[in-house]
């Protein structure tokens, strides 16, 4: 089994850019797609990035995803931050047997 | 339009068995590549994947909970059922069912809060 490690929290000002990392503990980050979910308080998660870097329809292009094999990590970058982006963000990946979620990152936009 | 909705008890006693039903619409669990699974979230904590069943009845379980979980499907009723045995207060959480296609949990139910208490 592998784990996905995220920073507990990040904060940034409106209009700025923030990047949230997600590091895979074992196995290559490139071997299985990474997804990112946004969860606002009291709501179910919604997908903001799937298959490493694909945006669902309706998700603004301020959201982007990438992977870095050298650090075995994935990243979610949100540019032009808005107060509405304040939420918890979870990365997720899988292997042949398991689905794994990261521990979540609380994004504060202040 | 794909929707999923969880149903089941809101309160269970320690050692009891929890049975949750996910009723979905807008897709068929007999379509190749499709899966439905369960994910839970204790209050104030992270998401934790529990179980997954695929269109071909292939099943996957969280290694840490495998001995306590059973997932089944009824394609004709568009339902997936999760049972979890020997419930404990640490199992108090919001339980979500979700639709898996390719690699993404794209559609989620609203979640149901299950409290384990005597």
């Amino acid at each position: 089994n592998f784990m996905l490690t995220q920073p507990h929290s990040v904060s940034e000002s409106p209009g700025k850019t923030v990047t949230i990392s997600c590091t895979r503990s074992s196995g290559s980050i490139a071997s299985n797609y990474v997804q990112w979910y946004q969860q606002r308080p009291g709501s179910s998660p919604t997908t903001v990035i799937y298959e490493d870097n694909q945006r669902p329809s309706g998700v603004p292009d301020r959201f982007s995803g990438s992977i870095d094999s050298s650090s075995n990590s994935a990243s979610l970058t949100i540019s032009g931050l808005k107060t509405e982006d304040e939420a918890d963000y979870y990365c997720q990946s899988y292997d042949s047997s398991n689905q794994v979620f990261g521990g979540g990152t609380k994004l504060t936009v202040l | 339009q794909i929707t999923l909705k969880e149903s089941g008890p809101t309160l269970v006693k320690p050692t009891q068995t929890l049975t949750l039903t996910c009723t979905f619409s807008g897709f068929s669990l007999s379509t190749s590549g499709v899966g439905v699974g369960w994910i839970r979230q204790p209050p104030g904590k992270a998401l934790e994947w529990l179980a997954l069943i695929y269109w071909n009845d292939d099943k996957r379980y969280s290694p840490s909970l495998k001995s306590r979980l059973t997932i089944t499907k009824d394609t004709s009723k568009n339902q997936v059922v999760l049972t979890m045995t020997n419930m404990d207060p640490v199992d108090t959480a919001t339980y979500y069912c979700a639709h898996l296609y390719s690699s993404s949990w794209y559609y989620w139910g609203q979640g149901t809060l299950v409290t384990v208490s005597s």
Side-chain angles (χ1 to χ4, degrees):
Chain A
N1 299 345
F2 67 94
M3 295 188 302
L4 296 172
T5 300
Q6 301 179 232
H8 181 68
S9 63
V10 296
S11 62
E12 191 49 271
S13 303
K16 300 292 190 181
T17 297
V18 69
T19 297
I20 299 171
S21 63
C22 171
T23 302
R24 181 165 172 158
S25 63
S26 61
S28 171
I29 191 73
S31 61
N32 306 101
Y33 287 126
V34 175
Q35 282 61 234
W36 290 91
Y37 304 91
Q38 177 191 69
Q39 187 180 33
R40 295 191 173 104
S43 296
S44 303
T46 61
T47 305
V48 292
I49 293 290
Y50 68 98
E51 293 181 358
D52 295 342
N53 55 19
Q54 301 299 302
R55 269 189 322 276
S57 60
V59 173
D61 61 5
R62 301 184 297 105
F63 290 79
S64 62
S66 64
I67 63 167
D68 179 357
S69 295
S70 66
S71 60
N72 214 35
S73 65
S75 294
L76 171 69
T77 298
I78 310 171
S79 60
L81 276 169
K82 300 183 176 184
T83 55
E84 66 203 47
D85 299 330
E86 187 162 293
D88 294 327
Y89 291 85
Y90 294 90
C91 60
Q92 171 258 324
S93 192
Y94 55 95
D95 61 19
S96 60
S97 301
N98 302 305
Q99 299 282 324
V100 178
F101 286 90
T105 299
K106 180 177 180 60
L107 169 62
T108 302
V109 182
L110 36 66
Chain B
Q1 179 190 3
I2 290 177
T3 64
L4 304 99
K5 187 171 185 179
E6 307 86 353
S7 59
T10 58
L11 179 66
V12 298
K13 291 180 171 22
T15 76
Q16 286 187 335
T17 294
L18 171 68
T19 299
L20 294 173
T21 300
C22 175
T23 303
F24 56 85
S25 63
F27 68 96
S28 171
L29 199 38
S30 58
T31 300
S32 178
V34 173
V36 172
W38 292 90
I39 296 134
R40 71 179 180 179
Q41 185 173 38
K45 296 189 177 181
L47 301 170
E48 178 186 19
W49 170 69
L50 301 177
L52 165 61
I53 189 165
Y54 287 100
W55 84 101
N56 59 0
D57 211 38
D58 192 11
K59 301 169 187 177
R60 298 284 185 263
Y61 296 101
S62 165
S64 62
L65 293 166
K66 184 174 184 177
S67 63
R68 299 173 54 204
L69 297 173
T70 303
I71 190 169
T72 59
K73 65 181 176 72
D74 186 330
T75 305
S76 64
K77 292 183 178 180
N78 281 352
Q79 290 183 333
V80 169
V81 175
L82 179 76
T83 60
M84 179 180 289
T85 61
N86 194 25
M87 293 292 285
D88 183 271
V90 300
D91 296 313
T92 294
T94 296
Y95 287 75
Y96 295 99
C97 69
H99 168 279
L100 180 74
Y101 184 73
S102 182
S103 57
S104 178
W105 297 97
Y106 203 89
Y107 297 97
W108 296 64
Q110 63 189 26
T112 185
L113 176 61
V114 177
T115 301
V116 184
S117 174
S118 55

PDB file of all heavy atoms in Angstrom, chain A residues 35-57:
ATOM      1  N   GLN A  35      -6.144  12.514  -9.089  1.00  0.00           N
ATOM      2  CA  GLN A  35      -7.306  13.394  -9.132  1.00  0.00           C
ATOM      3  C   GLN A  35      -7.220  14.369  -7.949  1.00  0.00           C
ATOM      4  O   GLN A  35      -6.557  14.091  -6.930  1.00  0.00           O
ATOM      5  CB  GLN A  35      -8.600  12.584  -8.993  1.00  0.00           C
ATOM      6  CG  GLN A  35      -9.063  11.865 -10.232  1.00  0.00           C
ATOM      7  CD  GLN A  35      -8.061  10.831 -10.725  1.00  0.00           C
ATOM      8  OE1 GLN A  35      -7.652  10.852 -11.872  1.00  0.00           O
ATOM      9  NE2 GLN A  35      -7.672   9.873  -9.865  1.00  0.00           N
ATOM     10  N   TRP A  36      -7.914  15.472  -8.081  1.00  0.00           N
ATOM     11  CA  TRP A  36      -8.020  16.464  -7.013  1.00  0.00           C
ATOM     12  C   TRP A  36      -9.492  16.809  -6.792  1.00  0.00           C
ATOM     13  O   TRP A  36     -10.240  17.026  -7.754  1.00  0.00           O
ATOM     14  CB  TRP A  36      -7.256  17.737  -7.379  1.00  0.00           C
ATOM     15  CG  TRP A  36      -5.768  17.575  -7.377  1.00  0.00           C
ATOM     16  CD1 TRP A  36      -4.986  17.213  -8.443  1.00  0.00           C
ATOM     17  CD2 TRP A  36      -4.889  17.776  -6.268  1.00  0.00           C
ATOM     18  NE1 TRP A  36      -3.667  17.175  -8.041  1.00  0.00           N
ATOM     19  CE2 TRP A  36      -3.582  17.519  -6.721  1.00  0.00           C
ATOM     20  CE3 TRP A  36      -5.071  18.151  -4.929  1.00  0.00           C
ATOM     21  CZ2 TRP A  36      -2.469  17.627  -5.883  1.00  0.00           C
ATOM     22  CZ3 TRP A  36      -3.966  18.260  -4.110  1.00  0.00           C
ATOM     23  CH2 TRP A  36      -2.684  18.011  -4.590  1.00  0.00           C
ATOM     24  N   TYR A  37      -9.863  16.878  -5.525  1.00  0.00           N
ATOM     25  CA  TYR A  37     -11.237  17.173  -5.150  1.00  0.00           C
ATOM     26  C   TYR A  37     -11.265  18.398  -4.238  1.00  0.00           C
ATOM     27  O   TYR A  37     -10.394  18.570  -3.387  1.00  0.00           O
ATOM     28  CB  TYR A  37     -11.879  15.988  -4.421  1.00  0.00           C
ATOM     29  CG  TYR A  37     -11.827  14.713  -5.225  1.00  0.00           C
ATOM     30  CD1 TYR A  37     -10.749  13.840  -5.088  1.00  0.00           C
ATOM     31  CD2 TYR A  37     -12.819  14.393  -6.141  1.00  0.00           C
ATOM     32  CE1 TYR A  37     -10.675  12.672  -5.841  1.00  0.00           C
ATOM     33  CE2 TYR A  37     -12.745  13.229  -6.898  1.00  0.00           C
ATOM     34  CZ  TYR A  37     -11.662  12.383  -6.735  1.00  0.00           C
ATOM     35  OH  TYR A  37     -11.586  11.239  -7.499  1.00  0.00           O
ATOM     36  N   GLN A  38     -12.291  19.209  -4.436  1.00  0.00           N
ATOM     37  CA  GLN A  38     -12.541  20.353  -3.582  1.00  0.00           C
ATOM     38  C   GLN A  38     -13.732  20.033  -2.683  1.00  0.00           C
ATOM     39  O   GLN A  38     -14.746  19.508  -3.166  1.00  0.00           O
ATOM     40  CB  GLN A  38     -12.880  21.582  -4.438  1.00  0.00           C
ATOM     41  CG  GLN A  38     -13.231  22.826  -3.642  1.00  0.00           C
ATOM     42  CD  GLN A  38     -13.812  23.912  -4.545  1.00  0.00           C
ATOM     43  OE1 GLN A  38     -14.927  23.784  -5.064  1.00  0.00           O
ATOM     44  NE2 GLN A  38     -13.055  24.979  -4.751  1.00  0.00           N
ATOM     45  N   GLN A  39     -13.613  20.333  -1.404  1.00  0.00           N
ATOM     46  CA  GLN A  39     -14.724  20.112  -0.492  1.00  0.00           C
ATOM     47  C   GLN A  39     -14.941  21.354   0.365  1.00  0.00           C
ATOM     48  O   GLN A  39     -14.092  21.708   1.186  1.00  0.00           O
ATOM     49  CB  GLN A  39     -14.488  18.896   0.404  1.00  0.00           C
ATOM     50  CG  GLN A  39     -15.703  18.548   1.257  1.00  0.00           C
ATOM     51  CD  GLN A  39     -15.489  17.346   2.150  1.00  0.00           C
ATOM     52  OE1 GLN A  39     -14.397  17.092   2.633  1.00  0.00           O
ATOM     53  NE2 GLN A  39     -16.549  16.574   2.381  1.00  0.00           N
ATOM     54  N   ARG A  40     -16.069  21.965   0.150  1.00  0.00           N
ATOM     55  CA  ARG A  40     -16.452  23.103   0.986  1.00  0.00           C
ATOM     56  C   ARG A  40     -17.183  22.580   2.222  1.00  0.00           C
ATOM     57  O   ARG A  40     -17.772  21.490   2.183  1.00  0.00           O
ATOM     58  CB  ARG A  40     -17.317  24.080   0.201  1.00  0.00           C
ATOM     59  CG  ARG A  40     -16.581  24.742  -0.951  1.00  0.00           C
ATOM     60  CD  ARG A  40     -17.382  25.886  -1.539  1.00  0.00           C
ATOM     61  NE  ARG A  40     -16.616  26.637  -2.531  1.00  0.00           N
ATOM     62  CZ  ARG A  40     -16.793  26.524  -3.840  1.00  0.00           C
ATOM     63  NH1 ARG A  40     -17.715  25.684  -4.311  1.00  0.00           N
ATOM     64  NH2 ARG A  40     -16.068  27.242  -4.679  1.00  0.00           N
ATOM     65  N   PRO A  41     -17.185  23.357   3.295  1.00  0.00           N
ATOM     66  CA  PRO A  41     -17.827  22.888   4.541  1.00  0.00           C
ATOM     67  C   PRO A  41     -19.273  22.479   4.317  1.00  0.00           C
ATOM     68  O   PRO A  41     -20.048  23.204   3.687  1.00  0.00           O
ATOM     69  CB  PRO A  41     -17.717  24.110   5.460  1.00  0.00           C
ATOM     70  CG  PRO A  41     -16.512  24.838   4.976  1.00  0.00           C
ATOM     71  CD  PRO A  41     -16.520  24.662   3.483  1.00  0.00           C
ATOM     72  N   GLY A  42     -19.599  21.308   4.812  1.00  0.00           N
ATOM     73  CA  GLY A  42     -20.968  20.829   4.740  1.00  0.00           C
ATOM     74  C   GLY A  42     -21.379  20.261   3.399  1.00  0.00           C
ATOM     75  O   GLY A  42     -22.549  19.897   3.214  1.00  0.00           O
ATOM     76  N   SER A  43     -20.430  20.164   2.461  1.00  0.00           N
ATOM     77  CA  SER A  43     -20.755  19.680   1.123  1.00  0.00           C
ATOM     78  C   SER A  43     -19.947  18.445   0.764  1.00  0.00           C
ATOM     79  O   SER A  43     -18.921  18.163   1.382  1.00  0.00           O
ATOM     80  CB  SER A  43     -20.474  20.765   0.077  1.00  0.00           C
ATOM     81  OG  SER A  43     -21.308  21.878   0.286  1.00  0.00           O
ATOM     82  N   SER A  44     -20.430  17.719  -0.239  1.00  0.00           N
ATOM     83  CA  SER A  44     -19.688  16.581  -0.763  1.00  0.00           C
ATOM     84  C   SER A  44     -18.519  17.078  -1.613  1.00  0.00           C
ATOM     85  O   SER A  44     -18.555  18.185  -2.145  1.00  0.00           O
ATOM     86  CB  SER A  44     -20.610  15.717  -1.623  1.00  0.00           C
ATOM     87  OG  SER A  44     -21.743  15.286  -0.894  1.00  0.00           O
ATOM     88  N   PRO A  45     -17.486  16.258  -1.738  1.00  0.00           N
ATOM     89  CA  PRO A  45     -16.363  16.631  -2.619  1.00  0.00           C
ATOM     90  C   PRO A  45     -16.805  16.755  -4.071  1.00  0.00           C
ATOM     91  O   PRO A  45     -17.735  16.069  -4.506  1.00  0.00           O
ATOM     92  CB  PRO A  45     -15.387  15.465  -2.441  1.00  0.00           C
ATOM     93  CG  PRO A  45     -15.742  14.863  -1.118  1.00  0.00           C
ATOM     94  CD  PRO A  45     -17.226  15.021  -1.012  1.00  0.00           C
ATOM     95  N   THR A  46     -16.122  17.630  -4.790  1.00  0.00           N
ATOM     96  CA  THR A  46     -16.323  17.740  -6.233  1.00  0.00           C
ATOM     97  C   THR A  46     -14.958  17.680  -6.905  1.00  0.00           C
ATOM     98  O   THR A  46     -13.955  18.114  -6.352  1.00  0.00           O
ATOM     99  CB  THR A  46     -17.026  19.051  -6.616  1.00  0.00           C
ATOM    100  OG1 THR A  46     -16.211  20.161  -6.212  1.00  0.00           O
ATOM    101  CG2 THR A  46     -18.380  19.180  -5.939  1.00  0.00           C
ATOM    102  N   THR A  47     -14.950  17.138  -8.108  1.00  0.00           N
ATOM    103  CA  THR A  47     -13.700  16.977  -8.842  1.00  0.00           C
ATOM    104  C   THR A  47     -13.296  18.301  -9.471  1.00  0.00           C
ATOM    105  O   THR A  47     -14.084  18.915 -10.192  1.00  0.00           O
ATOM    106  CB  THR A  47     -13.867  15.920  -9.954  1.00  0.00           C
ATOM    107  OG1 THR A  47     -14.354  14.697  -9.376  1.00  0.00           O
ATOM    108  CG2 THR A  47     -12.542  15.651 -10.647  1.00  0.00           C
ATOM    109  N   VAL A  48     -12.043  18.703  -9.243  1.00  0.00           N
ATOM    110  CA  VAL A  48     -11.532  19.889  -9.933  1.00  0.00           C
ATOM    111  C   VAL A  48     -10.461  19.522 -10.956  1.00  0.00           C
ATOM    112  O   VAL A  48     -10.232  20.270 -11.916  1.00  0.00           O
ATOM    113  CB  VAL A  48     -10.989  20.951  -8.945  1.00  0.00           C
ATOM    114  CG1 VAL A  48     -12.124  21.554  -8.129  1.00  0.00           C
ATOM    115  CG2 VAL A  48      -9.918  20.376  -8.023  1.00  0.00           C
ATOM    116  N   ILE A  49      -9.777  18.392 -10.744  1.00  0.00           N
ATOM    117  CA  ILE A  49      -8.795  17.881 -11.708  1.00  0.00           C
ATOM    118  C   ILE A  49      -8.927  16.359 -11.747  1.00  0.00           C
ATOM    119  O   ILE A  49      -9.019  15.707 -10.694  1.00  0.00           O
ATOM    120  CB  ILE A  49      -7.357  18.255 -11.327  1.00  0.00           C
ATOM    121  CG1 ILE A  49      -7.134  19.771 -11.422  1.00  0.00           C
ATOM    122  CG2 ILE A  49      -6.338  17.509 -12.200  1.00  0.00           C
ATOM    123  CD1 ILE A  49      -7.138  20.332 -12.843  1.00  0.00           C
ATOM    124  N   TYR A  50      -8.925  15.783 -12.934  1.00  0.00           N
ATOM    125  CA  TYR A  50      -8.878  14.334 -13.071  1.00  0.00           C
ATOM    126  C   TYR A  50      -7.785  13.953 -14.066  1.00  0.00           C
ATOM    127  O   TYR A  50      -7.353  14.784 -14.874  1.00  0.00           O
ATOM    128  CB  TYR A  50     -10.240  13.758 -13.467  1.00  0.00           C
ATOM    129  CG  TYR A  50     -10.705  14.120 -14.864  1.00  0.00           C
ATOM    130  CD1 TYR A  50     -10.534  13.236 -15.931  1.00  0.00           C
ATOM    131  CD2 TYR A  50     -11.326  15.346 -15.121  1.00  0.00           C
ATOM    132  CE1 TYR A  50     -10.954  13.560 -17.200  1.00  0.00           C
ATOM    133  CE2 TYR A  50     -11.749  15.673 -16.394  1.00  0.00           C
ATOM    134  CZ  TYR A  50     -11.566  14.785 -17.434  1.00  0.00           C
ATOM    135  OH  TYR A  50     -11.997  15.113 -18.709  1.00  0.00           O
ATOM    136  N   GLU A  51      -7.335  12.737 -13.990  1.00  0.00           N
ATOM    137  CA  GLU A  51      -6.282  12.237 -14.881  1.00  0.00           C
ATOM    138  C   GLU A  51      -5.104  13.205 -14.943  1.00  0.00           C
ATOM    139  O   GLU A  51      -4.661  13.613 -16.021  1.00  0.00           O
ATOM    140  CB  GLU A  51      -6.854  11.947 -16.263  1.00  0.00           C
ATOM    141  CG  GLU A  51      -7.835  10.779 -16.232  1.00  0.00           C
ATOM    142  CD  GLU A  51      -8.417  10.434 -17.592  1.00  0.00           C
ATOM    143  OE1 GLU A  51      -8.088  11.120 -18.580  1.00  0.00           O
ATOM    144  OE2 GLU A  51      -9.208   9.481 -17.654  1.00  0.00           O
ATOM    145  N   ASP A  52      -4.603  13.549 -13.795  1.00  0.00           N
ATOM    146  CA  ASP A  52      -3.402  14.380 -13.573  1.00  0.00           C
ATOM    147  C   ASP A  52      -3.622  15.860 -13.860  1.00  0.00           C
ATOM    148  O   ASP A  52      -3.194  16.718 -13.082  1.00  0.00           O
ATOM    149  CB  ASP A  52      -2.216  13.905 -14.427  1.00  0.00           C
ATOM    150  CG  ASP A  52      -1.729  12.528 -14.062  1.00  0.00           C
ATOM    151  OD1 ASP A  52      -2.040  12.043 -12.948  1.00  0.00           O
ATOM    152  OD2 ASP A  52      -1.032  11.916 -14.886  1.00  0.00           O
ATOM    153  N   ASN A  53      -4.237  16.172 -15.014  1.00  0.00           N
ATOM    154  CA  ASN A  53      -4.254  17.565 -15.435  1.00  0.00           C
ATOM    155  C   ASN A  53      -5.493  17.956 -16.244  1.00  0.00           C
ATOM    156  O   ASN A  53      -5.480  19.007 -16.903  1.00  0.00           O
ATOM    157  CB  ASN A  53      -3.001  17.856 -16.271  1.00  0.00           C
ATOM    158  CG  ASN A  53      -2.847  16.908 -17.449  1.00  0.00           C
ATOM    159  OD1 ASN A  53      -3.814  16.261 -17.861  1.00  0.00           O
ATOM    160  ND2 ASN A  53      -1.655  16.796 -17.977  1.00  0.00           N
ATOM    161  N   GLN A  54      -6.525  17.144 -16.186  1.00  0.00           N
ATOM    162  CA  GLN A  54      -7.735  17.439 -16.940  1.00  0.00           C
ATOM    163  C   GLN A  54      -8.765  18.137 -16.052  1.00  0.00           C
ATOM    164  O   GLN A  54      -8.978  17.746 -14.910  1.00  0.00           O
ATOM    165  CB  GLN A  54      -8.321  16.149 -17.509  1.00  0.00           C
ATOM    166  CG  GLN A  54      -7.371  15.392 -18.419  1.00  0.00           C
ATOM    167  CD  GLN A  54      -6.977  16.213 -19.630  1.00  0.00           C
ATOM    168  OE1 GLN A  54      -7.815  16.640 -20.408  1.00  0.00           O
ATOM    169  NE2 GLN A  54      -5.672  16.454 -19.778  1.00  0.00           N
ATOM    170  N   ARG A  55      -9.380  19.161 -16.624  1.00  0.00           N
ATOM    171  CA  ARG A  55     -10.411  19.904 -15.878  1.00  0.00           C
ATOM    172  C   ARG A  55     -11.798  19.486 -16.324  1.00  0.00           C
ATOM    173  O   ARG A  55     -12.098  19.496 -17.533  1.00  0.00           O
ATOM    174  CB  ARG A  55     -10.274  21.405 -16.122  1.00  0.00           C
ATOM    175  CG  ARG A  55      -9.408  22.166 -15.174  1.00  0.00           C
ATOM    176  CD  ARG A  55      -9.539  23.667 -15.405  1.00  0.00           C
ATOM    177  NE  ARG A  55      -9.648  24.029 -16.810  1.00  0.00           N
ATOM    178  CZ  ARG A  55      -8.603  24.189 -17.602  1.00  0.00           C
ATOM    179  NH1 ARG A  55      -7.395  24.004 -17.117  1.00  0.00           N
ATOM    180  NH2 ARG A  55      -8.779  24.530 -18.870  1.00  0.00           N
ATOM    181  N   PRO A  56     -12.662  19.144 -15.386  1.00  0.00           N
ATOM    182  CA  PRO A  56     -14.059  18.888 -15.776  1.00  0.00           C
ATOM    183  C   PRO A  56     -14.680  20.164 -16.320  1.00  0.00           C
ATOM    184  O   PRO A  56     -14.247  21.268 -15.992  1.00  0.00           O
ATOM    185  CB  PRO A  56     -14.723  18.472 -14.468  1.00  0.00           C
ATOM    186  CG  PRO A  56     -13.605  18.072 -13.562  1.00  0.00           C
ATOM    187  CD  PRO A  56     -12.443  18.902 -13.964  1.00  0.00           C
ATOM    188  N   SER A  57     -15.710  19.991 -17.129  1.00  0.00           N
ATOM    189  CA  SER A  57     -16.416  21.168 -17.612  1.00  0.00           C
ATOM    190  C   SER A  57     -16.999  21.920 -16.417  1.00  0.00           C
ATOM    191  O   SER A  57     -17.503  21.319 -15.467  1.00  0.00           O
ATOM    192  CB  SER A  57     -17.523  20.759 -18.584  1.00  0.00           C
ATOM    193  OG  SER A  57     -18.447  19.902 -17.926  1.00  0.00           O
TER     194      SER A  57
END
